[in-house]
Amino acid sequence: MSTPARTSRRSGIRGGEAASGWLFTAPMIILLGMFLVIPVLMALWVSFSDWNGRGSPFSASVSFVGFDNYSALVGGGGLAEQDFGTALRNNAWYVILVVPIQTMLSLFLAVLVNRQILRGRGFFRTAFYFPSVTSSVAITVLWLFLFSASGAVNKLLAFVGVNGPNWFNDPSGVLHNLLGVFGVTTGPAALTGNTFLGISFWEWLAGPSVAMSAFILMAVFTTSGTFMLLFIAALQNLSGDVVEAAMMDGANGWQRFWRVTLPQLRPTLFTVLTLGLIGAWQVFDQIYTGTQGGPGKTTLTPAYLSYQAAFTNQAWGQGAAIAFILFVIIVVFTLFQRFLLAERKVSARRMRLYVQTPTAGGSK
Amino acid sequence: MSTTVRTRVRSQSPSRRLKSLGREQLPTRAIAGRSLLYAILIVLAIIYIAPFLVQVATSFKTDGDAAANPMALIPETWSTAAYQRLFLNSDFPVWFQNSAIVTVFVTLGRVFFNSLAGYALARLHFRGRNVIFALLIAVMSVPGVVLLIPKFLVINQLGIYDTYVAMIVPLLTDAAGVFIMKNFFESIPASVEEQARIDGAGTFRVFWSIVLPMARPALVTIIILSFQGSWNELSHFIVATQSAELTTLTKGVASLASGQLSQGTQYPLKLAAAAIMTIPVAVMFFIFQKRIMNTTDGAVKE
């Protein structure tokens, strides 16, 4: 196709490249436009409309309702707001626990497995990575079994004398349960009396429900392997010189890791945290397969709520609005993180820290 | 073990050796440390592997046995009832077939379109290239779950709802794959192509018969990612189809989990379905295991 174009122009070896360039990229551009850009624009329109799922969202019977769908979610005072608040609460706890734990665990695994002298490195890497290749549906089915009332996990807990909960049917918040141990069962009026997004501050502070905790463990189990690979790759690209220099200066193993290796892993850390955050705000498959939001709506997540609102309740505008709010949340978190972890010039105060470290380490 | 430590100590610089003089107990400490390391690794490995062993074992148990001994790795009485039920008495084969069809087409399509676009972005000089690339990066950052409703809207509007086309074509979009191919093509020296060009080969010819065969490592990466991605995909199929004949494994097994087809818990049946569903990706994983571990190593090295 491009050969005639090239010969007709005869403008040297680069002739006809423009045409082939567009031709080569066209399929991907068309696909991305059709199934990414146009859909997003369509959904944006739906989120500002009262479309009820019948006919085309662009037909004359569908009208523009401004921010109605959005305000019903963030200030409507009704069930929509309450559900949205609950979903955000649930997912926020999920993110707060999953992201740091999976990052630390995957880094820990990578450091363990990265040693050159370790026997069976391949075996251990495979073992830790394998859960990452299985589908979330298959893992959820397995998890429902392992964490059932008389399942393997509770049998295991019984060995150490712990009476395990009925995991996926227990809506009680973990933090509330913890406070309950100390006899605190109701919060102060300041917390129970005031609400945000339709649920009280006391409820916001309930922690993830027991059911959600099982999902949190599952997320850590399935993602730590992927991120471990990223950390291994980064560790292998570090030059040994700096660590050796630190060794010469007498830094012990912990200091070498904390002050030398970890700062060099900053870009990978950023990648892992960002991917983790983006992933953790999108929990859907597990909820759809497993609990469908229950028990007591404590595993409801914005992604699942968005699907439910649109496809089950035919509240398409609201479903689309939830999706866009979720989009904004993810973008804001990612930007915030980028800001926090951005490479900055080392301040004088921190510089002092670096300069003094070897001496401090040596004197120990 | 202790010999390696010894040689390392000996080969170190004089100042380092002076320091280590005070630590004559190093070998014993090293052995203790190593044992601890292996102990931790083995415990962790058991935690990561045990669930899958339990899964396979349970799929061969009877319902009662599964409920009574959820941890046992050997069934009290071996039973293939779950598998018989799945293959002879349910829609499971249809689900499997649908998943296979979608996965094959999505993987082939992605390999072709990603490498085409990746090659153009890496090698062909044309106006608008940078704009396309910038758009690609922007598009990559759109979270997938946000697209659930949007995708349904377009599929519906195009009149392809509940067809194979709706299942396959939207999954061909793969900005990350284009990115991987572009990076790889940039690492191939330009002189390779120039020879062919001087000999009169057209752009597509150069791409197809010269550069693409060289891109095998990157292509394998795309194949692995696409295969895994489309085989494990769930949410797209939920919004793109509804009829039973188009149910994929993920959708079917998810409906099993929430209690359809089964009365009571029927864990052996569900776990057998989940286990079979894992086999193709597991096989894929073990075939390309070296590559998976190595490409990720190389991907960042760049």
Side-chain angles (χ1 to χ4, degrees):
Chain A
M1 256 204 182
S2 52
T3 322
R6 197 183 74 85
T7 38
S8 67
R9 269 213 212 155
R10 279 267 156 226
S11 57
I13 218 150
R14 297 270 173 230
E17 277 194 14
S20 345
W22 282 104
L23 210 63
F24 279 27
T25 45
M28 206 32 92
I29 295 173
I30 293 170
L31 283 172
L32 286 172
M34 286 264 276
F35 295 104
L36 243 144
V37 181
I38 296 176
V40 169
L41 296 177
M42 270 176 88
L44 196 62
W45 156 250
V46 167
S47 79
F48 289 112
S49 79
D50 60 357
W51 187 53
N52 60 6
R54 254 161 286 155
S56 159
F58 302 112
S59 70
S61 59
V62 179
S63 46
F64 179 79
V65 295
F67 280 96
D68 279 9
N69 289 320
Y70 289 90
S71 58
L73 292 171
V74 295
L79 188 66
E81 187 194 0
Q82 226 172 52
D83 282 354
F84 184 61
T86 312
L88 274 185
R89 192 264 319 254
N90 300 337
N91 212 340
W93 282 110
Y94 183 89
V95 170
I96 287 171
L97 288 164
V98 167
V99 175
I101 296 177
Q102 78 189 7
T103 308
M104 285 190 288
L105 180 64
S106 52
L107 179 58
F108 179 68
L109 293 177
V111 170
L112 284 189
V113 166
N114 192 43
R115 313 200 169 201
Q116 294 301 323
I117 31 167
L118 184 75
R119 275 160 210 249
R121 273 199 306 171
F123 166 75
F124 289 118
R125 285 187 188 188
T126 307
F128 300 147
Y129 184 69
F130 186 73
S132 310
V133 302
T134 58
S135 85
S136 46
V137 173
I139 286 281
T140 308
V141 170
L142 177 55
W143 228 245
L144 289 173
F145 171 67
L146 293 176
F147 283 77
S148 59
S150 59
V153 171
N154 279 355
K155 280 265 154 57
L156 211 61
L157 287 175
F159 277 132
V160 278
V162 178
N163 194 4
N166 188 354
W167 293 87
F168 283 108
N169 292 306
D170 192 338
S172 61
V174 178
L175 287 187
H176 277 182
N177 288 351
L178 209 64
L179 286 172
V181 175
F182 299 103
V184 184
T185 48
T186 48
L191 289 182
T192 50
N194 297 309
T195 62
F196 176 61
L197 287 178
I199 62 172
S200 71
F201 284 106
W202 176 245
E203 280 302 315
W204 275 95
L205 294 174
S209 69
V210 174
M212 193 52 122
S213 309
F215 280 125
I216 289 172
L217 290 173
M218 185 169 100
V220 172
F221 178 71
T222 50
T223 52
S224 47
T226 318
F227 293 140
M228 173 193 75
L229 284 191
L230 290 182
F231 277 125
I232 290 176
L235 284 170
Q236 285 177 346
N237 283 318
L238 297 185
S239 78
D241 302 358
V242 192
V243 169
E244 247 163 53
M247 242 172 175
M248 299 279 258
D249 289 336
N252 63 33
W254 183 247
Q255 287 170 327
R256 286 200 302 270
F257 174 74
W258 202 243
R259 296 255 155 85
V260 180
T261 310
L262 201 60
Q264 287 179 282
L265 289 179
R266 207 180 172 74
T268 316
L269 210 57
F270 173 68
T271 311
V272 168
L273 285 171
T274 308
L275 291 177
L277 257 180
I278 292 173
W281 272 112
Q282 297 192 62
V283 213
F284 176 83
D285 291 10
Q286 300 88 316
I287 311 297
Y288 177 89
T289 311
T291 53
Q292 265 129 25
K297 293 187 179 172
T298 58
T299 59
L300 205 60
T301 63
Y304 186 75
L305 187 67
S306 154
Y307 162 80
Q308 206 183 33
F311 289 87
T312 314
N313 304 334
Q314 299 297 312
W316 289 84
Q318 224 166 65
I322 296 171
F324 279 106
I325 296 175
L326 186 58
F327 189 13
V328 171
I329 290 174
I330 293 173
V331 170
V332 167
F333 267 89
T334 315
L335 291 179
F336 179 65
Q337 199 181 322
R338 186 173 292 249
F339 167 77
L340 274 187
L341 273 170
E343 290 289 349
R344 263 166 289 178
K345 271 193 175 162
V346 181
S347 70
R349 190 175 59 82
R350 293 202 53 155
M351 199 60 195
R352 204 160 57 226
L353 209 73
Y354 284 111
V355 174
Q356 279 178 353
T357 313
T359 8
S363 64
K364 246 176 207 169
Chain B
M1 283 292 136
S2 62
T3 47
T4 45
V5 176
R6 281 247 154 259
T7 44
R8 274 173 71 199
V9 169
R10 208 171 295 142
S11 65
Q12 265 147 7
S13 60
S15 66
R16 172 71 185 147
R17 210 184 303 159
L18 269 179
K19 267 200 186 118
S20 57
L21 268 181
R23 295 196 212 155
E24 272 303 295
Q25 76 277 37
L26 194 71
T28 20
R29 265 187 54 189
I31 290 169
R34 186 117 334 132
S35 316
L36 184 69
L37 171 70
Y38 278 106
I40 294 173
L41 278 169
I42 289 167
V43 169
L44 282 170
I46 290 173
I47 294 175
Y48 275 85
I49 296 169
F52 298 104
L53 297 181
V54 169
Q55 176 179 19
V56 173
T58 308
S59 72
F60 287 106
K61 290 177 186 172
T62 58
D63 281 10
D65 189 16
N69 311 305
M71 267 170 76
L73 288 179
I74 297 162
E76 246 172 15
T77 45
W78 287 82
S79 158
T80 53
Y83 291 93
Q84 280 173 15
R85 174 95 199 271
L86 279 178
F87 281 105
L88 304 175
N89 211 356
S90 79
D91 289 337
F92 193 81
V94 178
W95 302 343
F96 197 97
Q97 190 191 329
N98 285 330
S99 277
I101 292 171
V102 170
T103 302
V104 166
F105 280 104
V106 169
T107 306
L108 289 178
R110 279 196 191 179
V111 165
F112 185 63
F113 293 138
N114 285 349
S115 44
L116 260 175
Y119 179 71
L121 289 175
R123 275 289 194 264
L124 303 179
H125 300 263
F126 60 100
R127 199 178 295 193
R129 188 173 80 157
N130 293 332
V131 179
I132 294 176
F133 187 63
L135 284 177
L136 207 67
I137 298 289
V139 151
M140 263 169 75
S141 62
V142 178
V145 152
V146 173
L147 289 169
L148 271 187
I149 297 174
K151 268 187 186 167
F152 169 77
L153 294 174
V154 162
I155 286 168
N156 214 15
Q157 204 71 11
L158 290 174
I160 54 171
Y161 180 71
D162 213 20
T163 62
Y164 279 115
V165 177
M167 292 167 85
I168 294 165
V169 178
L171 285 185
L172 293 177
T173 55
D174 181 24
V178 177
F179 196 67
I180 293 173
M181 290 312 296
K182 175 186 177 280
N183 274 351
F184 188 86
F185 285 129
E186 275 170 352
S187 73
I188 295 178
S191 53
V192 175
E193 297 155 69
E194 268 152 26
Q195 302 249 319
R197 277 171 181 264
I198 288 164
D199 288 346
T203 315
F204 187 79
R205 184 81 195 278
V206 171
F207 161 74
W208 187 253
S209 20
I210 311 281
V211 192
L212 203 57
M214 294 177 74
R216 198 173 294 159
L219 292 178
V220 170
T221 308
I222 302 284
I223 291 174
I224 295 169
L225 292 177
S226 315
F227 186 94
Q228 211 172 301
S230 47
W231 185 267
N232 291 341
E233 177 66 47
L234 168 71
S235 54
H236 173 67
F237 301 138
I238 292 175
V239 300
T241 60
Q242 63 178 163
S243 61
E245 310 90 73
L246 292 179
T247 303
T248 57
L249 267 181
T250 43
K251 227 177 122 178
V253 175
S255 71
L256 265 189
S258 55
Q260 290 173 32
L261 191 87
S262 56
Q263 282 130 18
T265 50
Q266 296 212 344
Y267 281 121
L269 182 83
K270 294 176 188 173
L271 290 175
I276 296 174
M277 177 178 172
T278 311
I279 290 172
V281 276
V283 167
M284 190 81 177
F285 170 66
F286 285 109
I287 292 175
F288 292 113
Q289 195 190 21
K290 270 251 156 56
R291 171 120 305 146
I292 291 172
M293 302 297 178
N294 289 344
T295 37
T296 11
D297 286 359
V300 184
K301 202 174 240 161
E302 198 44 41

